[in-house]
């Protein structure tokens, strides 16, 4: 007769070794994190064992911890002393501190260990499995029942398992077990068995497997049991690592021959109301290491996450599947490539796509697996995700084997954005930044501050993940031609945690369009790296779309001059050993494309300039659509079609001069241009199709013709662009010609001397005060001297602006107009007082209509013709006002002035 296992009982099932969390109230997700994530990534102080945690379970606000350890100690920096325990601890779910429940799991010979903990549906009994012969001296045989209220061993429950129990699932009347055993109570039960929940009497249930069982779970309707492990057969039928059997008899309901790779196993199974989920671990090549979701109706696959990295535990909670692994390669699902290990992940129960929750541990001790088990505890209206395993750090801080995360109290701020700014013409400034990393918030708010203002000029919302941090941008259309601006960006999460301000990005708006970058953008570049950054590791995308940012790796040299293109742009330098740049986002390349860059080198070791590979930071296993240099300086453009297909230039280009290369492929085949001239064609229209990343400065070249000594580039690169079209010969020639076209240049000149005079202290000199002041009554006047350069050959002064910065003093701004007038009398910074102040001239050169309060940079235009007449010599200006509202500014000596007072002079063709 089938025993009752109704939905209510099934929903209360707790999990063997970190299966699905059930039996706790469903609290709303943490308001401070990005839904549907329910927990912060901020690790809470938790007592820690001195060994490995294999099992977790929760009841009544207490979390039970099982494993192989002999003591627990306070978290780092906390009070208290180490407490001896024997493979078991009971901790308060809300505080992480030990409770009064003390149980010792021991064995006469060998090493005792607790491998499974599960609480009964009524939350009154804790079932423990592992390898042990006694609990607090009471003889048992690898399984015991503990009364939760009294923390006492139940003498009436005495099953006899002959070897290690690794997994337990419990219904109202039955305990299912999986492990290494071959007999139970002297009767044959190979790796899986069922006993009565009350007294441990052996049930008829028979699901004999040929290899160890590691996971057991009961379906929510109570009709079937899900089995996971190392096995290849169950009851003599082929079904590797996973099986569904009848809950009464153990007869196969669903087999999975060939479903999971033969060198992979199932380490954990968890259920929710819609399906069940497996955690898989493999050994060797061609393994399956990820997660599978299967529907309860028919037990067929819903999705399969093929990330590599030995998944140990899965936990569905409020529509999210949390997992413990050391995932290091999720390229097969379009996410991060092989590289850094990520030990804690979250994804919707409906799909493989990762969510913005990624706290991390290290691999730790033992087998170096990291986290092994998950459960949720509830107390005081908050939920706590507990993680156990063999790690020794959490989020970079020392913490061994046990940690927890709360549903409330997000305190982690996003990382500081890395920002840059660029203007390609008088139409405005493109402010762009690499989106920040927040381990529990993928949706962040960015605020852009201009000229040091405390109030943002714009707010932008953007999403990012730890492996996908795209470029975000905003265009300042109010920026005026010829004027200079600074921008800084902050990132804020939903809880209000805010990063520090980014480093300052400075830009001067040109008075006319810059010829070369404007043409590259107009010709449709979808990736455009100009290498003008002064701060690592972000490479801005200057394309019109602006979402294909790059990342520096191993410290390429920034701000290299002279650049390939005339103007204020700079180049980037590579060491030929390991420095490179890679794309931020995985993408695919269509059948039609163009790759363009400028290069300069004298290397005799060759190297890859630019190419497409399936890895970001390691050597790619798939790589083509690349341009590389041979040892003798020739250029090669190659694609892979099952064989390498290449075009090679007859001449060498390692002459330490700037050269321009464009490689195209499309319906007309392959074409290679150098310095605007076609150097070869090939009738090949296909290439290897894979998703990957654009790489600059180095990647694999094994198997390619004339392979150089070095796969990495030693030299400079500039103006790298990728197009989704084939550039025509005319377009290539135009780009080459425009690179040497005259461009506007900008010179910034900080005041050589500055001071102010005060009518209220007529004999006092303020030259060393760090401040400047302007007011009509009672009078303050400020005096500035600039040493002006001469105009570069063939250019004239086109725009002149003055920038000043208000101080941090309350009310430093002014509602009054401030005039900028020439000084006609003699003065010095160290000698000027109100009594001997210099005479002033007219007319005014410019003015500020008023300057608001708040420390910020303010810029206004000056009469260009007047300033042009003073080029090549000293030029003196005074700031005066007629009203009574004082303006307070930083002088050139002040540390906070950001180089003001400052003149910005823009020179260009007549």
């Amino acid at each position: 007769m089938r025993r009752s296992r109704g939905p209510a009982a099934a929903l209360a099932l707790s999990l063997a070794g970190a299966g699905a969390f059930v039996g706790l109230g469903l609290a709303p997700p943490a308001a401070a994190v990005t839904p549907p994530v329910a927990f912060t990534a901020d690790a809470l102080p938790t007592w820690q064992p001195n060994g490995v945690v294999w099992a977790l379970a929760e009841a009544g606000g207490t979390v039970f911890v099982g494993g192989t350890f002999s003591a627990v100690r306070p978290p780092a920096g906390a009070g208290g002393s180490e407490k001896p325990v024997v493979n078991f601890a009971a901790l308060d779910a809300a505080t992480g501190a030990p409770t009064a429940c003390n149980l010792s799991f021991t064995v006469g010979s060998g090493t005792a260990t607790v491998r499974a903990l599960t609480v009964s549906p009524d939350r009154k009994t804790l079932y423990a499995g592992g390898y042990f012969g006694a609990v607090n001296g009471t003889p048992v045989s690898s399984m015991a029942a503990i009364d939760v209220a009294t923390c006492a061993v139940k003498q009436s429950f005495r099953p006899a398992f002959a070897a290690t129990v690794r997994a337990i699932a419990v219904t109202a009347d039955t305990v299912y077990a999986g492990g290494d055993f071959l007999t139970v109570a002297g009767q044959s039960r190979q790796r899986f068995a069922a006993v009565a929940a009350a007294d441990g009497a052996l049930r008829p249930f028979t699901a004999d497997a040929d290899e160890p069982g590691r996971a057991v779970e009961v379906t929510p309707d109570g009709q079937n049991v899900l089995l996971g492990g190392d096995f290849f057969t169950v009851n003599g039928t082929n079904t590797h690592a996973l099986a569904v059997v009848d809950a009464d008899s153990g007869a196969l309901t669903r087999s999975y021959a060939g479903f999971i790779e033969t060198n992979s196993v199932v380490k954990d199974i968890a259920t929710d109301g819609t399906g069940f989920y497996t955690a898989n671990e493999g050994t060797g090549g061609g393994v399956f290491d990820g997660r599978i979701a299967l529907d309860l109706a028919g037990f067929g696959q819903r999705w399969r996450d093929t990330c590599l990295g030995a998944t140990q535990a899965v936990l569905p909670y409020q529509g999210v599947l949390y997992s413990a692994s050391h995932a290091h390669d999720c390229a097969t699902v379009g996410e991060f490539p092989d590289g850094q290990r990520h030990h804690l992940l979250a994804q919707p129960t409906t799909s493989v796509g990762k969510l913005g929750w990624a706290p991390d541990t290290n691999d730790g001790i033992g087998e170096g697996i990291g986290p092994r088990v998950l459960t949720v505890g509830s107390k005081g209206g908050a939920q706590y995700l507990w993680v156990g395993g063999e790690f020794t750090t959490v989020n970079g801080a020392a913490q061994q084997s046990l940690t927890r995360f709360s549903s409330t109290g997000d305190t982690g701020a996003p990382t500081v954005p890395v920002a840059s700014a660029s203007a390609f013409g008088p139409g405005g400034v493109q402010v762009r930044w690499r989106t920040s990393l927040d381990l529990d918030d993928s949706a962040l708010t960015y605020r852009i501050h201009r000229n040091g203002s405390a109030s943002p000029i714009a707010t932008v919302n953007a999403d990012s993940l730890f492996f996908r941090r795209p470029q975000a941008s905003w265009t300042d259309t109010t920026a005026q031609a010829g004027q200079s601006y600074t921008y800084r960006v902050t990132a804020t999460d939903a809880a209000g945690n805010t990063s520090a301000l980014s480093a300052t990005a400075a830009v001067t708006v040109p008075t006319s369009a810059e010829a070369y970058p404007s043409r590259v953008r107009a010709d449709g570049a979808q990736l455009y790296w100009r290498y003008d950054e002064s701060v690592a590791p972000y490479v801005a995308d200057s394309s019109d779309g602006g979402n294909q940012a790059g990342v520096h790796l191993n410290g390429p040299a920034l701000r290299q001059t002279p650049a390939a293109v005339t103007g204020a742009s700079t180049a980037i330098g590579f060491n030929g050993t390991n420095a490179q740049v890679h794309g931020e986002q995985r993408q695919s390349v269509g059948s039609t494309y163009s790759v363009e860059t400028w290069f300069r080198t004298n290397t005799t070791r060759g190297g890859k300039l630019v190419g497409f590979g399936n890895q970001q930071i390691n050597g790619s296993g798939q790589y083509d659509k690349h341009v590389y240099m041979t040892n003798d300086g020739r250029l090669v453009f190659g694609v892979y079609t099952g064989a390498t297909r290449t075009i090679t230039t007859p001449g060498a280009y390692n002459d330490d001069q700037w050269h321009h290369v464009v490689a195209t492929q499309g319906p007309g085949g392959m074409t290679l241009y150098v310095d605007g001239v076609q150097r070869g064609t090939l009738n090949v229209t296909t290439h290897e199709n894979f998703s990957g990343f654009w790489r600059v400065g180095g990647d694999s070249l094994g198997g390619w013709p004339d392979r150089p000594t070095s796969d990495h580039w030693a030299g400079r690169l500039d103006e790298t662009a990728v197009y989704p079209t084939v550039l025509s010969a005319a377009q290539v020639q135009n780009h080459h010609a425009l690179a040497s076209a005259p461009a506007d240049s900008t010179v910034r000149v900080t005041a050589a001397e500055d001071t102010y005079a005060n009518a209220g202290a007529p004999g006092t000199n303020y030259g060393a005060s760090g401040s400047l002041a302007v007011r009509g009554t009672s009078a303050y006047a400020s005096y500035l001297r600039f040493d002006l350069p001469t105009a570069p050959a063939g250019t004239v002064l086109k725009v002149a602006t003055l920038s000043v910065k208000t101080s941090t003093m309350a009310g430093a701004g002014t509602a009054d107009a401030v005039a900028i007038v020439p000084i006609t009398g003699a003065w010095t910074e160290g000698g000027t007082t109100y009594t001997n102040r210099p005479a002033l001239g007219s007319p005014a050169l410019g003015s500020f209509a008023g300057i608001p309060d708040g420390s910020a940079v303010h810029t206004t235009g000056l009469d260009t013709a007047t300033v042009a007449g003073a080029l090549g010599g000293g030029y003196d200006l005074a700031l005066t006002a007629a009203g009574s509202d004082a303006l307070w500014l930083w002088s050139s000596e002040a540390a906070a002035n950001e180089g003001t007072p400052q003149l910005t002079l823009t020179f260009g063709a007549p």
Side-chain angles (χ1 to χ4, degrees):
M1 180 176 179
R2 188 173 297 277
R3 292 173 294 278
S4 170
R5 298 180 188 89
L11 284 175
L13 293 173
S14 86
L15 314 206
F21 157 73
V22 284
L24 298 180
L26 297 183
V33 298
T34 301
V37 169
F39 302 98
T40 78
D42 305 317
L44 298 174
T46 306
W47 279 61
Q48 49 194 321
N50 63 351
V52 178
V53 172
W54 295 98
L56 294 170
E58 185 272 350
T62 297
V63 172
F64 304 105
V65 182
T68 312
F69 48 84
S70 61
V72 292
R73 65 185 186 276
S81 59
E82 183 175 274
K83 297 179 182 296
V85 296
V86 184
N87 302 316
F88 177 88
L91 305 180
D92 185 281
T95 67
T99 69
C101 179
N102 294 304
L103 298 171
S104 295
F105 287 75
T106 58
V107 69
S109 62
T111 301
T113 183
V114 176
R115 294 300 180 103
L117 293 171
T118 302
V119 176
S120 62
D122 62 7
R123 320 301 289 166
K124 294 181 178 180
T125 303
L126 171 68
Y127 292 91
Y131 178 69
F132 46 84
V135 180
N136 280 7
T138 299
V140 294
S141 184
S142 293
M143 184 181 284
I146 314 299
D147 181 77
V148 170
T150 64
C151 189
V153 179
K154 289 191 172 184
Q155 303 282 348
S156 60
F157 183 80
R158 299 293 289 273
F161 286 82
T164 303
V165 173
R166 297 182 180 276
I168 298 174
V170 185
T171 66
D173 54 12
T174 301
V175 179
Y176 296 91
D180 302 348
F181 51 86
L182 298 178
T183 64
V184 181
Q187 299 188 46
S188 177
R189 292 291 190 275
Q190 297 178 24
R191 281 87 183 199
F192 294 99
V195 299
D199 60 8
L202 186 63
R203 297 290 198 194
F205 175 92
T206 302
D208 288 344
D210 60 332
E211 295 289 344
R214 298 183 182 275
V216 182
E217 186 56 86
V218 182
T219 56
D221 63 6
Q223 303 300 303
N224 293 282
V225 179
L226 312 167
L227 309 179
D230 302 3
F231 52 82
F232 291 87
T233 65
V234 172
N235 292 337
T237 300
N238 290 334
T239 180
H240 175 52
L242 181 66
V244 182
V245 299
D246 181 82
D248 281 330
S249 67
L252 271 168
T253 302
R254 174 72 184 264
S255 63
Y256 292 91
F259 184 67
I260 295 174
E261 282 72 0
T262 57
N263 53 355
S264 296
V265 301
V266 169
K267 298 297 291 288
D268 187 30
I269 299 175
T271 64
D272 61 13
T274 66
F276 66 101
Y277 310 87
T278 68
N280 304 271
E281 175 187 81
T283 303
V287 301
F288 174 58
D289 259 356
R291 294 156 290 283
I292 304 174
L294 301 100
D295 292 318
L296 291 170
F299 306 115
Q301 179 174 294
R302 180 189 305 166
W303 51 256
R304 180 179 291 228
D305 185 332
T306 53
C307 290
L308 295 175
T311 307
Q312 303 297 304
V314 285
L315 173 63
Y317 181 75
Q318 296 184 358
V320 173
L321 185 69
Y322 298 88
S323 60
S325 69
H326 53 245
H328 58 86
D329 186 353
C330 287
T332 55
V333 293
E335 296 174 337
F336 52 90
D338 195 13
Q340 178 183 347
R341 290 183 168 192
H342 303 277
H343 296 84
L344 295 168
L345 299 173
Q347 61 200 107
T349 55
T350 55
S351 69
V352 301
K354 306 304 180 292
L355 298 170
W357 183 82
D360 205 10
T361 72
N362 64 353
D363 291 344
I365 59 177
E367 297 177 42
I369 292 291
R372 286 185 174 276
V373 60
L374 308 169
T375 198
V376 172
S378 178
K379 190 169 185 181
Q383 280 68 49
Y384 301 90
L385 175 64
W386 285 69
V387 180
E390 55 196 25
F391 48 85
T392 58
T393 66
V394 178
N395 291 341
Q399 175 71 20
Q400 183 170 349
S401 300
L402 196 61
T403 190
R404 61 201 176 97
F405 306 94
S406 177
S407 61
T408 61
D410 181 12
T411 60
T415 58
V416 179
V418 182
S420 68
S422 186
F424 308 103
V429 174
Q430 183 190 59
V431 183
R432 56 275 176 102
W433 58 94
R434 187 188 191 199
T435 46
S436 296
L437 172 62
D438 190 300
L439 295 179
D440 47 30
D441 290 281
S442 56
L444 299 174
T445 299
Y446 298 88
R447 292 176 173 84
I448 302 98
H449 299 260
R450 186 173 77 174
N451 289 346
S453 173
S455 299
I457 190 174
T459 299
V460 173
N461 296 320
D463 292 344
S464 58
L465 297 168
F466 69 91
F467 60 89
R468 185 179 297 128
R469 295 169 62 185
Q471 177 172 294
S473 64
W474 169 78
T475 300
D476 184 0
T477 57
T478 66
Q480 300 298 306
Q483 295 198 21
S484 297
Y485 299 90
T486 61
Y487 299 89
R488 302 181 78 179
V489 183
T490 64
T492 303
D493 66 15
N497 300 306
T498 299
S499 73
L501 285 161
S502 70
T504 299
V507 65
T508 298
V509 184
T511 56
S512 58
E514 294 186 7
Y516 185 89
S518 295
R519 177 45 53 192
V520 170
R521 287 161 54 89
D523 283 345
Q526 65 180 9
L527 176 155
Y528 184 20
W529 296 342
R530 303 204 69 199
Y531 308 119
D532 292 340
E533 293 76 28
S534 57
V535 179
Y538 162 68
V539 182
D541 179 12
S542 294
S543 71
D544 193 45
N547 63 357
Q548 296 293 334
V551 179
H552 300 121
L553 184 64
N554 297 321
L558 308 183
R559 305 289 297 175
Q560 299 295 290
T561 57
V565 175
T566 56
S569 183
T570 60
I572 189 169
F574 297 92
N575 59 14
T577 303
N578 59 2
Q580 57 187 280
V581 170
H582 62 78
E584 180 73 65
Q585 296 193 72
R586 179 179 293 277
Q587 59 183 285
S588 297
V589 179
S591 60
T592 299
Y593 64 92
S594 299
V595 181
E596 174 180 40
T597 197
W598 288 78
F599 66 95
R600 181 175 181 170
T601 189
N602 60 3
T603 185
T604 57
R605 302 178 70 247
K608 183 178 290 192
L609 285 73
V610 59
F612 193 72
N614 69 333
Q615 295 291 336
Q616 277 181 309
I617 59 177
N618 298 322
S620 294
Q622 293 174 287
Y623 43 96
D624 75 337
K625 298 174 280 293
H626 52 206
V627 176
Y628 62 92
M629 179 174 280
T630 63
N631 286 347
D632 59 5
R634 291 172 297 140
L635 292 180
V636 181
F637 168 37
V639 300
Y640 186 74
T641 63
T644 59
R645 307 300 302 273
T646 59
I647 303 170
T648 304
T649 64
Y653 297 93
N654 56 345
D655 56 1
D656 204 23
Q657 300 296 315
W658 279 112
H659 296 283
H660 177 230
V661 59
V662 177
T664 71
Q665 187 179 27
M670 299 166 59
T671 305
L672 178 63
Y673 301 88
V674 182
D675 294 335
V677 178
Q678 184 187 108
R679 299 298 181 182
T681 62
L682 191 63
N683 187 24
V684 174
T685 60
T686 61
H687 55 75
E688 189 172 12
N689 291 313
F690 59 91
S691 64
F693 307 87
W694 285 106
R695 301 275 295 266
V696 170
D699 197 4
S700 301
L701 280 171
W704 285 82
D706 295 319
R707 182 183 180 182
T709 301
S710 174
D711 290 350
H712 286 81
W713 173 252
R716 295 180 181 180
L717 294 173
D718 202 3
E719 306 289 336
T720 301
V722 178
Y723 305 78
T725 59
V726 171
L727 291 179
S728 68
Q731 287 175 308
V732 173
Q733 292 163 6
N734 189 28
H735 289 198
H736 182 254
L738 288 175
S740 57
D744 289 355
S745 61
T746 299
V747 177
R748 295 181 178 88
V749 183
T750 301
E753 293 187 79
D754 52 12
T755 188
Y756 76 97
N758 177 5
T764 302
N765 171 261
Y766 295 94
S769 70
S771 296
L772 301 172
V774 182
R775 185 172 61 191
T777 55
S778 58
Y780 299 137
S782 290
Y783 308 100
L784 316 174
R785 172 172 293 132
F786 297 92
D787 294 329
L788 302 184
T790 58
T795 69
V796 297
L797 182 66
K798 301 179 73 173
V799 177
T801 62
L802 172 67
S803 297
V804 295
K805 185 175 183 180
T806 44
S807 76
T808 52
M809 180 188 302
T814 181
D816 298 333
V818 175
I820 304 163
V821 299
I823 297 174
T824 58
W827 68 283
T828 62
E829 178 180 275
T832 297
T833 66
Y834 189 81
T835 301
N836 67 2
R837 65 191 184 279
L840 305 181
S842 61
L845 303 172
S847 66
F848 293 97
I851 293 178
D853 291 340
S855 182
V857 176
H858 298 274
T859 303
T860 190
L862 301 180
D863 182 77
T864 304
T866 303
V867 177
L871 292 175
Y875 194 63
D876 297 351
L877 303 174
L879 279 67
T880 65
S884 59
D885 187 7
L887 170 67
W888 288 92
L889 305 172
W890 293 121
S891 75
S892 58
E893 287 86 3
N897 70 355
E898 295 188 11
T900 61
Q902 183 179 87
L903 288 181
T904 300
L905 308 176
T906 302
F907 298 95

